[in-house]
Amino acid sequence: MLTEHILQRLASIVGPEHVATGTVDRITHSFDATQQQFLPDVVVHPGTTEEISRIVQLANEERVPIVPRGAGSGFTGGSLPIHGGIVLVLTRMNRILEIDPDNLIAIVEPGVVTGHLQKEVERLGLFYPPDPASKDFSTLGGNIAECAGGPRCVKYGVTRDYVLGLTVVTPTGSVIHTGGRTMKNVVGYDLTRLLVGSEGTLGIVTQIILRLLPKPEARKTMLVAFASIDGAAQAVSAIIRGKIIPTTLEFMDGAAIDCVRRAARIDLPLECRAVLIIEVDGDRALLAGQAQKILDIVRPLGVLETRTAETAEESEAIWRVRRSVSPSLRALNPHKFNEDIVVPRSRVPEMIRLLEAISARYGVPIVNFGHAGDGNIHVNVMVDLDQPDMKDTVRRVLDEIFRTAVGLGGSVSGEHGIGTAKAPYIAMELEQPTLAAMQAVKRALDPNNIMNPGKIFPPDIAEHTGCAASPPPSLDPYHA
Amino acid sequence: MLKDKALEHFQDEIAQCVRCGACQAHCPVYLETGREGSVARGKIVLAAALLAGEIGLDERLREEIGLCLLCGSCTAKCPNKVPTDAIVAAIRRRITENQGLSVLGRGVAALTGGSKPLLGALVKGADLLAPLLFTNIPEASSLRLRFAPAALKDRSLPPLPKRNLFARVPEFLEGDATQPVVGIFAGCALTHLYPHVGEILVRLVHRLGCSVFLPRTQGCCGMPATSSGNGPLVASLAKANAGAFAGRALDCILTACASCHAMLTGYSPATVHWPAAELVDIHVFLLRQGLGKQLAARPKWPHRFRVAYHDPCHLRAAGITRAPRDLLRALPQADFVDMEDSALCCGLGGTFAAAHPDLSRAIGDRKVAGLRASGAAVIASGCPGCILQLQDIIDRAGLAVRAMHTLELIDQALTGPPP
């Protein structure tokens, strides 16, 4: 528990109406999308960089853990207060400060919801591409902390590719500015890139300079049904080899199609075992040709059917198939382990085959879908944890999946981050000197380990380097 | 149905919430407050904590549970369709059972319950809602609470009619023997506040050849009672309403108020023996009866105005979004424009506007930008509560727009001056 003295100082910084210590408020800020729960001691809603700086100084002096929180929609525990302390909610700081069409930038506060910014810039014919599935509710601050991705990353890249500069309160309470308003800037270390994806462990972002693009004039959506996953996977490589980068290149495997089929009527050939949803965007005049070229490339690869949307409604109908996958999974089994491994694009077919082998070997359903175009596969291990020994089986299955991905030159997480959920697997991918370099950075910026402690680095590694305390949970099921 | 299920029996539904946060994008209250306790996900976590005995029904919990419009937006967009509105209503009933009705809840009970509904009785006197009247209402009267001065201050209110719906139309109108026999559930607002709309409803349906039954013994649907957590009152209103329609063989029962429609659809079969007749929203019914084609066949008026549409939450949640638009598109005197944010809640939310007047208005004001950009002269809707709130939003924003019931526009098309 925090002392009365600390609570009083917090209240004097942000005003008593923005400090809550009651059980109700602590409970409503105890969780994120991992469904794990840890009670904070106090919930604070700051309104300015200055207030945040003073709060962090206080936390640092008093050695109180402090956890920044946006929408609390992360999948890996980044905003969980696993050691209690202060949860700092940034939703009050939700202003779009500037949209500059001449320099193609936007300046925003961290609490701005990603989809809201997209809507506002698109009114002006501009475009902010990163589109995580949560974009209608997740915040830009959270997107930066996790370096969020999304389907459009195939062509446009991820959040880090659109961050030009940041205002950050460091773990000792200093206010620093990284990058700036220009595309080119090589002055000093690139702290912007260091902070994007740092999961709130190196500081609290309080202002963001984002790069914008002109909005593409039009887009075209296609659905291609394949007789086998191999055909679909080869199609991905063939399209890229054909020197076309689609906006999105999403895939669903046979298990995913079966789930959707069970939940709703979908209009797909019965023998269809894989689907690609391909979207291209750009000048209207060029799209038809691009779409045709893609269809020509994929046609020899066991294609059963192709469908090209002519209207916005038809495009929406295609995307509805893809979006109905997640909700339909729960019919399979009550518990879902949703991993977001990534492998080099060319290794996607191999990875899918190995996943199918793992599924068969352990007798657990694994449903795969996701961003085939950039190799980011959402692997959903569907189990019933109430079955005997299932927890142990899941552990071994996940372990094997991650080892396989890393073995193919991939990563254990493409866009969800590490947090607490993936911390046990980080050492599979990063060798000891790399981890040590990262922890040296953490210690230099956060000598008292108050800034979102216990994240990224697993307890055994963190303990003798002073970057964590008690063990976080190692097995996080999602109720499907 | 879920309407009268106790909180204990929502365990499974509560477990369906995966805390993804999708509800944040759609909750009108959260969009204003940005606080996790305002949104469905936060309330579900609180419901779970309540069931686990980790928290009690303290003041802070009552506050958070009060911050819900029961609009159902969250459920509609929830990947697992967690019925947060029903869960919040169950917590409110539990609060009422444990701690008695709130001041506001007592007001609702006095107004909508009992044999002689206060709203009906007092409207006869004239300007019930006019703030001036409050100087004449005794301190102890519940009216002061339901329409508390804080909620009414500077609010645009309709001029109050002298005669209610029942004084305007007979209880039964004989129609064509080949056409359906329909019952009409008018609801408080179309009976007392907007009886001219209620009259259009009855006469239009009769004009289409139907026999129309408007039983006098119908009362409030129970939405305000649900909103204030008064379970027993909801049950007794439901029984009375079922009884009102029981005597006659009906093909369907019509509503022209979105909230009444939602409420009647949700009456629990365990407690109420509701007539077998299908419950149909008026827009859906009129289209079925071919009115859309009739309207579209009329010559267009040379001087048309632009009309937008506001989706009442309780029609949207029932999936009724196209029928009202189809009717508006068919109007000869107006050009329909689908305004941006047509589906945003107006902020009224049963007793929410009375309990949280400032927040209710802030929520409502989010409609202004879309309405202004639409260039509409009229905004139509299918819920008298929304219409009341919309006119208030419009007047405060200083827009030259009228909020009207879709039925009024249809009536204008059929009876208005020839082009």
Side-chain angles (χ1 to χ4, degrees):
Chain A
M1 270 305 282
L2 300 185
T3 62
E4 197 53 41
H5 167 72
I6 295 175
L7 294 175
Q8 270 170 16
R9 284 182 63 190
L10 285 171
S12 75
I13 295 170
V14 293
E17 68 276 28
H18 298 303
V19 178
T21 53
T23 314
V24 164
D25 293 277
R26 290 165 60 213
I27 286 177
T28 53
H29 294 86
S30 64
F31 58 85
D32 65 2
T34 60
Q35 302 179 56
Q36 298 280 323
Q37 263 186 290
F38 297 89
L39 282 185
D41 293 303
V42 59
V43 180
V44 183
H45 284 81
T48 64
T49 302
E50 165 66 21
E51 285 176 5
I52 294 173
S53 165
R54 291 172 61 197
I55 293 165
V56 175
Q57 278 173 40
L58 172 66
N60 189 42
E61 277 164 28
E62 303 284 349
R63 307 287 192 267
V64 178
I66 182 162
V67 182
R69 178 183 175 94
S73 57
F75 274 131
T76 52
S79 56
L80 292 176
I82 61 169
H83 300 301
I86 302 168
V87 162
L88 201 72
V89 189
L90 296 156
T91 50
R92 275 179 71 210
M93 295 176 66
N94 62 352
R95 290 175 304 163
I96 297 174
L97 300 170
E98 191 183 334
I99 298 173
D100 175 354
D102 294 333
N103 293 302
L104 290 176
I105 58 170
I107 303 184
V108 303
E109 292 185 324
V112 172
V113 170
T114 309
H116 177 62
L117 175 75
Q118 287 173 334
K119 210 167 135 189
E120 291 302 315
V121 301
E122 283 174 32
R123 274 185 219 281
L124 303 171
L126 302 173
F127 188 46
Y128 176 70
D131 60 341
S134 60
K135 68 183 161 58
D136 289 335
F137 46 98
S138 61
T139 62
L140 286 160
N143 287 181
I144 283 170
E146 302 294 333
C147 188
R152 291 202 289 238
C153 297
V154 184
K155 177 170 176 180
Y156 291 106
V158 296
T159 299
R160 79 163 72 85
D161 300 308
Y162 294 87
V163 184
L164 290 179
L166 297 169
T167 302
V168 180
V169 174
T170 72
T172 50
S174 310
V175 178
I176 65 168
H177 298 89
T178 75
R181 301 174 66 108
T182 55
M183 284 282 290
K184 295 181 175 176
N185 179 334
V186 291
V187 181
Y189 291 139
D190 188 351
L191 296 181
T192 311
R193 283 226 163 192
L194 174 65
L195 282 149
V196 176
S198 65
E199 306 195 20
T201 62
L202 299 181
I204 298 172
V205 170
T206 63
Q207 211 178 91
I208 305 157
I209 307 175
L210 292 170
R211 183 165 79 93
L212 304 175
L213 297 178
K215 190 184 171 195
E217 188 186 12
R219 58 197 172 107
K220 208 166 193 60
T221 314
M222 288 162 281
L223 182 147
V224 186
F226 292 86
S228 74
I229 189 74
D230 278 353
Q234 284 162 22
V236 172
S237 304
I239 292 167
I240 305 293
R241 259 201 316 277
K243 308 289 185 288
I244 300 176
I245 305 273
T247 317
T248 61
L249 229 177
E250 295 286 295
F251 90 107
M252 291 160 55
D253 74 355
I257 295 166
D258 291 342
C259 285
V260 176
R261 242 192 247 288
R262 240 173 267 130
R265 284 188 304 276
I266 52 162
D267 187 18
L268 285 176
L270 267 179
E271 61 276 29
C272 169
R273 296 312 294 155
V275 160
L276 283 185
I277 295 173
I278 308 166
E279 201 166 87
V280 286
D281 68 2
D283 290 349
R284 201 178 298 278
L286 301 177
L287 286 188
Q290 268 198 34
Q292 194 51 53
K293 191 170 172 196
I294 288 175
L295 294 179
D296 291 344
I297 290 174
V298 302
R299 192 154 289 126
L301 300 168
V303 170
L304 298 169
E305 186 186 307
T306 66
R307 208 178 298 166
T308 306
E310 300 299 336
T311 63
E313 287 78 43
E314 287 174 20
S315 162
E316 174 57 25
I318 290 178
W319 280 111
R320 208 175 304 130
V321 175
R322 162 70 175 79
R323 277 199 300 268
S324 57
V325 178
S326 269
S328 71
L329 294 179
R330 63 196 170 119
L332 223 47
N333 259 325
H335 301 110
K336 167 166 88 176
F337 290 81
N338 168 12
E339 309 302 341
D340 80 313
I341 57 161
V342 58
V343 294
R345 273 193 278 247
S346 63
R347 314 294 295 264
V348 169
E350 217 174 329
M351 186 69 214
I352 298 285
R353 270 196 300 274
L354 290 166
L355 284 168
E356 280 176 350
I358 293 171
S359 170
R361 189 154 62 250
Y362 289 93
V364 292
I366 300 183
V367 183
N368 304 301
F369 59 92
H371 320 308
D374 52 30
N376 190 191
I377 305 168
H378 290 291
V379 179
N380 294 270
V381 182
M382 305 302 303
V383 295
D384 180 355
L385 285 180
D386 296 335
Q387 285 175 6
D389 301 326
M390 190 46 85
K391 279 189 181 164
D392 196 48
T393 305
V394 170
R395 254 187 213 105
R396 282 184 290 146
V397 167
L398 295 183
D399 201 81
E400 198 156 331
I401 290 172
F402 292 131
R403 270 181 213 292
T404 308
V406 172
L408 293 177
S411 283
V412 301
S413 176
E415 55 187 8
H416 293 172
I418 298 300
T420 54
K422 303 288 183 289
Y425 309 106
I426 191 171
M428 275 185 196
E429 186 171 333
L430 302 178
E431 65 277 33
Q432 207 286 324
T434 310
L435 275 170
M438 288 183 182
Q439 287 170 308
V441 172
K442 168 71 174 167
R443 273 194 310 278
L445 286 171
D446 186 10
N448 296 312
N449 196 28
I450 56 141
M451 189 59 72
N452 206 3
K455 306 296 167 67
I456 302 180
F457 308 107
D460 52 336
I461 292 176
E463 234 162 64
H464 57 259
T465 52
C467 283
S470 69
S474 58
L475 197 64
D476 301 340
Y478 303 83
H479 292 278
Chain B
M1 283 310 289
L2 306 167
K3 296 268 162 161
D4 60 351
K5 209 160 97 168
L7 183 61
E8 286 71 16
H9 299 126
F10 279 104
Q11 293 274 17
D12 289 347
E13 288 88 345
I14 288 170
Q16 291 296 314
C17 172
V18 295
R19 320 268 191 264
C20 66
C23 42
Q24 292 179 357
H26 308 285
C27 173
V29 181
Y30 179 81
L31 289 176
E32 277 307 314
T33 66
R35 303 263 171 149
E36 194 74 67
S38 304
V39 79
R41 181 174 74 161
K43 288 181 166 67
I44 295 298
V45 172
L46 289 176
L50 203 53
L51 285 177
E54 290 159 17
I55 43 169
L57 300 167
D58 65 9
E59 193 191 339
R60 191 70 192 94
L61 180 89
R62 292 199 305 271
E63 256 173 57
E64 296 289 40
I65 295 306
L67 285 174
C68 174
L69 292 148
L70 302 183
C71 70
S73 307
C74 50
T75 307
K77 301 288 183 180
C78 173
N80 291 344
K81 300 284 174 255
V82 177
T84 303
D85 50 350
I87 293 166
V88 166
I91 299 175
R92 288 185 185 173
R93 285 197 301 277
R94 173 179 274 212
I95 292 169
T96 304
E97 284 154 22
N98 278 264
Q99 305 179 348
L101 282 169
S102 68
V103 179
L104 188 61
R106 287 201 296 276
V108 167
L111 268 169
T112 65
S115 58
K116 198 172 144 202
L118 207 45
L119 181 62
L122 280 159
V123 157
K124 281 184 198 134
D127 292 356
L128 154 73
L129 294 176
L132 263 184
L133 184 73
F134 286 99
T135 54
N136 298 326
I137 294 183
E139 198 69 36
S141 166
S142 53
L143 259 187
R144 285 184 162 274
L145 312 168
R146 167 79 163 115
F147 298 105
L152 283 176
K153 199 163 161 272
D154 307 323
R155 180 182 260 287
S156 293
L157 293 163
L160 280 148
K162 300 262 188 283
R163 291 188 311 147
N164 75 19
L165 177 62
F166 298 149
R168 292 170 182 237
V169 291
E171 185 162 36
F172 187 75
L173 284 166
E174 183 85 42
D176 188 331
T178 63
Q179 293 295 317
V181 181
V182 304
I184 292 211
F185 185 86
C188 300
L190 293 189
T191 305
H192 300 294
L193 285 183
Y194 299 107
H196 65 287
V197 179
E199 187 171 353
I200 293 171
L201 167 66
V202 172
R203 302 231 181 255
L204 179 60
V205 173
H206 183 234
R207 186 178 159 155
L208 292 172
C210 304
S211 299
V212 186
F213 176 48
L214 177 74
R216 300 304 196 240
T217 47
Q218 61 179 284
C220 173
C221 66
M223 186 62 81
T226 300
S227 182
S228 59
N230 192 339
L233 178 55
V234 175
S236 77
L237 288 169
K239 253 188 209 122
N241 288 328
F245 288 94
R248 209 174 274 262
L250 299 168
D251 293 300
C252 58
I253 295 173
L254 302 181
T255 57
C257 166
S259 297
C260 293
H261 185 269
M263 203 56 212
L264 266 52
T265 326
Y267 280 169
S268 162
T271 51
V272 179
H273 186 64
W274 187 253
E278 185 195 5
L279 191 68
V280 187
D281 168 66
I282 186 65
H283 302 94
V284 174
F285 180 78
L286 291 177
L287 274 184
R288 250 190 230 172
Q289 296 296 115
L291 189 74
K293 288 197 188 88
Q294 277 187 43
L295 287 172
R298 298 197 154 230
K300 291 275 180 196
W301 293 19
H303 301 292
R304 294 186 299 278
F305 54 88
R306 213 176 262 192
V307 61
Y309 176 70
H310 162 78
D311 287 283
C313 296
H314 289 134
L315 282 189
R316 184 169 41 76
I320 301 169
T321 55
R322 272 185 64 177
R325 287 176 168 80
D326 286 350
L327 287 170
L328 291 171
R329 273 196 197 95
L331 290 174
Q333 79 273 36
D335 295 317
F336 176 69
V337 48
D338 218 347
M339 66 178 259
E340 198 174 345
D341 296 333
S342 58
L344 273 188
C345 177
C346 71
L348 190 73
T351 50
F352 186 90
H356 308 281
D358 294 338
L359 192 52
S360 163
R361 286 188 162 167
I363 292 167
D365 287 346
R366 288 179 171 259
K367 305 263 349 168
V368 171
L371 186 54
R372 184 176 278 137
S374 76
V378 170
I379 180 164
S381 195
C383 181
C386 296
I387 293 167
L388 184 81
Q389 176 87 348
L390 286 168
Q391 195 62 57
D392 183 57
I393 293 164
I394 290 164
D395 293 348
R396 273 185 296 106
L399 300 181
V401 180
R402 260 189 83 190
M404 296 172 81
H405 199 288
T406 325
L407 285 171
E408 293 178 88
L409 291 166
I410 292 170
D411 183 57
Q412 184 185 51
L414 297 174
T415 63

